[in-house]
Amino acid sequence: IHHKITTSLEKERDKRIISDIISDFYKDIMVAKDKLSRARRTNIGELSRISAGFAGDILDFTGEEDDESYLSIVEKLSYLHIDSASIYLFNKPISHLENRVFQPPKTIYLKAYCKGEEFNVVSSQHQRVKVVDILDNEYTRNTNGSTRVVVPLFAREELFGIFVCELGYEYLYYITPLAYQICSTIKCMHLIKKKELIARQLSSSLAQIREKNVLLDLLSNTDELTGLYNRRGFAQIFNSIIYNEE
């Protein structure tokens, strides 16, 4: 542009004026770019600090109502210049494998949302929402005509849900790392829940084994018809009495 303009001018004075204008304009662009870069580094640092607290919330709410941890996440989002946000999760993670047609469920579950200073967790009986209504339902209706960003919550090939938020254009660059942090937190919550479920199942299995062992011991030591001790049971009782006497 500079070359085309200066070559079309005849007077050297006019050429110098144009060169100075373009030079000043270029300097202003570089200063603005540097300020933006420093601001972004600051915001990314703030994002890292706040999102690191997501993992701590998992441990704080382990063993309690799971949905309270989602509320804690949306509360922290207000510090990241996010005016509103909603966390939707599918009933269970959906595998989205390569070269396979993705078939999303028709319904999704709204766990928690925020609007300005209002933070809410949705009760389990009211969480179910049609996927087509994630931007416009009784909890997250858009009344001010603002632009919202919709981001899938992916962890490798598993789709856990959808994150919807409203934030200024100047902060759009960190929506991807933010969604990644939220999804990582949700995946950890699923793993913890799965671990607790396995532990409960194991405890239940051990209790059943103990009950069956007691029943087997009773059946092997008594007569099925009379309920009296059989020869084996009598020998065990007799030996225990003799040894205790000694």
Side-chain angles (χ1 to χ4, degrees), residues 1 3 10 23 84 87 89 122 133 136 149 156 179 226 235:
I1 295 174
H3 177 71
E10 295 180 358
S23 178
S84 70
I87 296 178
L89 296 183
V122 183
D133 293 332
D136 188 19
V149 182
R156 292 184 180 274
T226 62

Side-chain angles (χ1 to χ4, degrees), residues 72 163 171 185-186 193:
S72 179
F163 176 59
Y171 301 110
T185 302
I186 292 172
K193 187 186 296 184

Side-chain angles (χ1 to χ4, degrees), residues 86-90 108 131 134 150-153 160-164:
S86 307
I87 296 178
Y88 293 90
L89 296 183
F90 294 111
I108 198 169
V131 172
I134 60 174
V150 180
V151 186
L153 295 174
F160 286 84
I162 297 173
F163 176 59
V164 181

Side-chain angles (χ1 to χ4, degrees), residues 183-201:
C183 190
S184 297
T185 302
I186 292 172
K187 184 172 183 178
C188 288
M189 292 169 62
H190 275 257
L191 292 175
I192 290 174
K193 187 186 296 184
K194 189 178 294 185
K195 178 183 176 182
E196 292 174 346
L197 176 61
I198 292 173
R200 288 195 298 270
Q201 291 175 341

